[in-house]
């Protein structure tokens, strides 16, 4: 392997960014980048330009049938637990509602008195097939601050499979680096569900998480030192919540706008 | 900072990817619907064949699904990440199929389409517009060179062969084109446009 000078590396930078160097040249260039941050910056800037060029290619609607084939390939085989989300439900009402203009988190139901009845909806109710509930709670700074300062948002989908999405936007925080996300259950047990980088106080992460609506209490973001950066409290499920206090979280009906 | 207490925005690309990666069928449907014109468009532009492009586009979605957890927002938007996945697959497939090299004259419609695709305008960021203008104003031989390399994955030597020019000429066309395209972009921010 040849050791390149910066000048030699610069001559390869465009082709490296475009992904068209030979294996040998590529290896040489990458070896140089390992040791040279200025060449590295140059190549990453050129790579971003090359990426944008490809993104400018005109979009083309694929032939009929493509979408269904892909969805079939991405949908796990039927099992009792996941049955509810199998096609044709996903490809029918719900899919149309979700996909055309994206999901819309419906009206917030803050402080709605728990009645056990299903939350109000604005449009024709598709029932189980056309809508589903996603839980939302604001991510706030530690509880001793009053009023709590909102620094982000937490969404949880407690279905099968269950998943979580968190976004944090706290430009004033001094914390940087990797943030761990934990889910705390009502019995106090904690599950670590993933981590994401925080850059200039901003970051977001989503992924699978073992969430059960009945046991879920809190989602927490923890920094490297174990300090809790933010938390989102989810109230008890409507059907079982007592009359202690109005829930701070809200349940959103996800539905399409037409 | 604008954190709304009542979120009403459409679900973000990141969030859909999270649902997809978690195996959520509805997120998968929404993800495919949102991105299939992009993914198929890239595949078709590179391989030039609808049947093969369909296979590649499907593989790209499967790869995105399996590797959703590896998506790193620091390295670009979901759109960029997915574009890279399908582009790599398409270029690999096109390489296997060669020699049926790109005819430089066939590139004219593609270059014109990249430089002017009105249906994308609605969503286009300022940076994309500037890149379009820069591509449209490149000398034709530089535009061909950068599209053959950047879109079709042709090496400098292959470009030299199809253009019947020395390798050094092909190389300087690529470098000149990239320098101009790069200069046209505003200072890169970590935006998702
Ligand atoms: Zn260097």
């Amino acid at each position: 392997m040849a050791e390149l000078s910066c000048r030699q590396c610069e001559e390869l930078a465009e082709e490296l960014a475009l992904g068209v160097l030979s294996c040998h040249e590529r290896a040489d260039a990458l070896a140089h980048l390992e040791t040279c941050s200025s060449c590295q910056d140059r190549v990453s800037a050129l790579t971003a330009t090359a990426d944008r060029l490809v993104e400018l290619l005109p979009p083309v609607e694929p032939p009929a049938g493509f979408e269904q084939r892909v969805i079939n390939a991405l949908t796990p085989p039927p099992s009792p637990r996941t049955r509810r989300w199998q096609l044709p439900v996903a490809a029918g009402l719900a899919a149309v509602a979700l996909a055309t203009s994206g999901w819309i988190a419906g009206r917030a139901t803050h402080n709605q008195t728990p009645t056990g009845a299903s939350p109000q909806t604005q449009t024709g109710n598709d029932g189980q097939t056309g809508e589903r509930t996603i839980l939302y709670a604001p991510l706030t700074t530690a509880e001793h601050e009053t009023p709590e300062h909102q620094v982000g948002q937490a969404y949880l989908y407690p279905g099968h499979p269950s998943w979580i999405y968190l976004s944090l936007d706290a430009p004033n925080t001094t914390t940087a680096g990797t943030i761990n996300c934990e889910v705390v259950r009502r019995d106090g047990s904690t599950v670590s569900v993933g981590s994401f980088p925080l850059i200039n106080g901003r970051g977001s992460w989503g992924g699978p998480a073992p969430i059960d609506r009945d046991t879920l209490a809190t989602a927490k973001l923890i920094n490297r030192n174990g300090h809790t950066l933010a938390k989102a409290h989810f109230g008890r499920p409507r059907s079982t919540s007592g009359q202690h206090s109005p829930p701070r979280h809200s349940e959103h009906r996800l539905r399409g706008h037409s | 900072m604008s954190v709304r207490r009542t979120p009403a925005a459409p679900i973000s690309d990141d969030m859909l990817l999270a649902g997809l990666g978690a195996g959520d069928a509805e997120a998968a449907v929404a993800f495919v619907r949102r991105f299939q014109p992009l993914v198929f468009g890239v595949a078709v532009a590179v391989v030039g064949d609808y049947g093969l492009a369909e296979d590649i586009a499907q593989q790209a979605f499967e790869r995105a699904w399996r590797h959703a957890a590896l998506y790193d927002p620091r390295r670009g938007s979901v759109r960029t990440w997915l574009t890279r996945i399908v582009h790599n697959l398409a270029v690999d497939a096109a390489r296997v199929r060669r020699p049926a090299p790109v005819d430089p004259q066939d590139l004219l419609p593609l270059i014109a389409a990249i430089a002017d695709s009105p249906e994308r305008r609605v969503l286009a960021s300022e940076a994309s517009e500037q890149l379009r203008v820069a591509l449209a104003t490149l000398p034709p031989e530089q535009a061909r060179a950068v599209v053959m390399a950047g879109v079709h994955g042709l090496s400098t030597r292959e470009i030299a062969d199809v253009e019947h020019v020395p390798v050094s000429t092909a190389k300087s066309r690529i470098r000149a084109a990239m320098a101009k395209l790069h200069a046209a972009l505003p200072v890169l921010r970590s935006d998702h446009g």
Side-chain angles (χ1 to χ4, degrees):
Chain A
M1 195 157 69
E3 275 196 30
L4 300 187
S5 65
C6 282
R7 189 178 161 72
Q8 288 172 309
C9 186
E10 274 172 32
E11 288 188 1
L12 298 177
E14 290 81 6
E15 291 157 276
L16 179 62
L18 291 162
V20 297
L21 282 180
S22 72
C23 297
H24 289 302
E25 287 174 315
R26 183 164 187 277
D28 290 346
L30 291 178
H32 178 79
L33 295 191
E34 288 285 308
T35 64
C36 179
S37 64
S38 73
C39 285
Q40 208 175 71
D41 290 348
R42 181 182 173 76
V43 169
S44 40
L46 288 167
T47 303
T49 304
D51 283 345
R52 278 203 187 268
L53 178 65
V54 178
E55 285 181 69
L56 288 189
L57 287 167
V60 179
E61 283 298 332
F66 172 79
E67 180 180 302
Q68 192 59 51
R69 271 197 303 283
V70 173
I71 288 163
N72 289 345
L74 301 189
T75 308
S79 74
R81 271 182 75 77
T82 59
R83 189 170 181 80
R84 191 170 157 219
W85 301 113
Q86 293 307 302
L87 304 175
V89 171
L93 284 170
V96 171
L98 291 173
T100 48
S101 57
W103 292 346
I104 306 290
R107 90 164 49 168
T109 51
H110 287 291
N111 304 329
Q112 185 181 352
T113 311
T115 60
S118 69
Q120 66 211 77
T121 52
Q122 286 172 314
T123 57
N125 192 344
D126 298 320
Q128 293 282 48
T129 55
E131 291 185 345
R132 58 189 193 162
T133 301
I134 205 162
L135 306 173
Y136 165 75
L139 269 173
T140 57
T141 47
E143 58 267 341
H144 57 263
E145 289 184 29
T146 40
E148 288 171 2
H149 178 48
Q150 182 171 353
V151 289
Q153 307 176 61
Y155 295 87
L156 289 138
Y157 177 60
H160 303 295
S162 54
W163 50 276
I164 188 168
Y165 179 82
L166 297 145
S167 72
L168 185 67
D169 189 350
N172 298 326
T173 184
T174 51
T175 301
T178 302
I179 302 298
N180 277 309
C181 172
E182 291 181 351
V183 172
V184 185
R185 301 204 182 97
R186 296 207 173 280
D187 64 6
S189 62
T190 297
V191 192
S192 180
V193 292
S195 62
F196 62 90
L198 197 65
I199 297 156
N200 300 326
R202 298 175 66 171
S204 60
W205 179 83
I211 296 158
D212 186 313
R213 182 69 193 93
D214 297 326
T215 58
L216 166 72
T218 307
K220 271 189 186 176
L221 295 178
I222 318 268
N223 73 7
R224 264 205 196 120
N225 308 323
H227 173 70
T228 300
L229 206 60
K231 41 170 72 174
H233 295 290
F234 292 86
R236 288 179 182 279
R238 284 220 163 74
S239 51
T240 58
S241 64
Q243 302 302 318
H244 321 298
S245 59
R248 287 193 29 76
H249 72 291
S250 63
E251 297 191 358
H252 290 260
R253 291 278 158 159
L254 291 184
R255 53 187 163 67
H257 265 337
S258 49
Chain B
M1 161 174 142
S2 63
V3 173
R4 283 173 305 226
R5 211 158 256 288
T6 304
I11 285 199
S12 69
D13 294 348
D14 300 40
M15 192 164 164
L16 271 190
L17 183 64
L20 173 75
D24 184 319
E26 290 182 41
V29 172
F31 188 87
V32 172
R33 293 242 168 114
R34 187 175 290 184
F35 289 111
Q36 62 182 352
L38 167 77
V39 168
F40 189 69
V42 170
V44 146
V46 175
V47 300
D49 173 294
Y50 265 52
L52 181 58
E54 274 195 72
D55 289 348
I56 290 163
Q58 175 164 347
Q59 284 175 43
F61 278 115
E62 289 175 21
R63 192 171 283 196
W65 172 50
R66 281 197 303 274
H67 297 315
L70 300 179
Y71 166 68
D72 180 351
R74 285 172 300 181
R75 301 183 62 193
S77 64
V78 169
R79 170 173 284 272
T80 300
W81 179 75
L82 187 60
T83 303
R84 269 190 204 150
I85 290 175
V86 65
H87 186 243
N88 287 340
L89 287 168
V91 165
D92 287 349
R95 279 180 184 148
V96 169
R97 273 158 57 100
R98 286 207 278 273
V102 179
D103 182 339
Q105 295 315 311
D106 291 348
L107 293 173
L108 293 175
L110 181 62
I111 292 169
I114 297 171
D116 178 37
S117 70
E119 67 270 37
R120 290 281 296 276
R121 288 275 161 89
V122 190
L123 299 168
S125 64
E126 191 189 348
S128 303
E129 283 308 299
Q130 282 162 330
L131 192 59
R132 256 186 241 290
V133 172
L135 183 73
T137 51
L138 285 179
E141 69 280 3
Q142 290 182 13
R144 291 197 303 270
V146 80
V147 167
M148 278 190 274
V151 174
H152 294 94
L154 263 63
S155 69
T156 307
R157 176 169 294 283
E158 288 172 310
I159 293 168
D161 286 348
V162 298
E163 293 272 24
H164 308 294
V165 296
V167 171
S168 57
T169 304
K171 192 179 176 78
S172 48
R173 286 178 182 175
I174 289 175
R175 296 195 65 193
M178 282 296 281
K180 287 174 197 163
L181 296 185
H182 180 59
L185 289 173
V187 177
L188 281 168
R189 299 153 305 192
S190 59
D191 66 353
H192 283 197

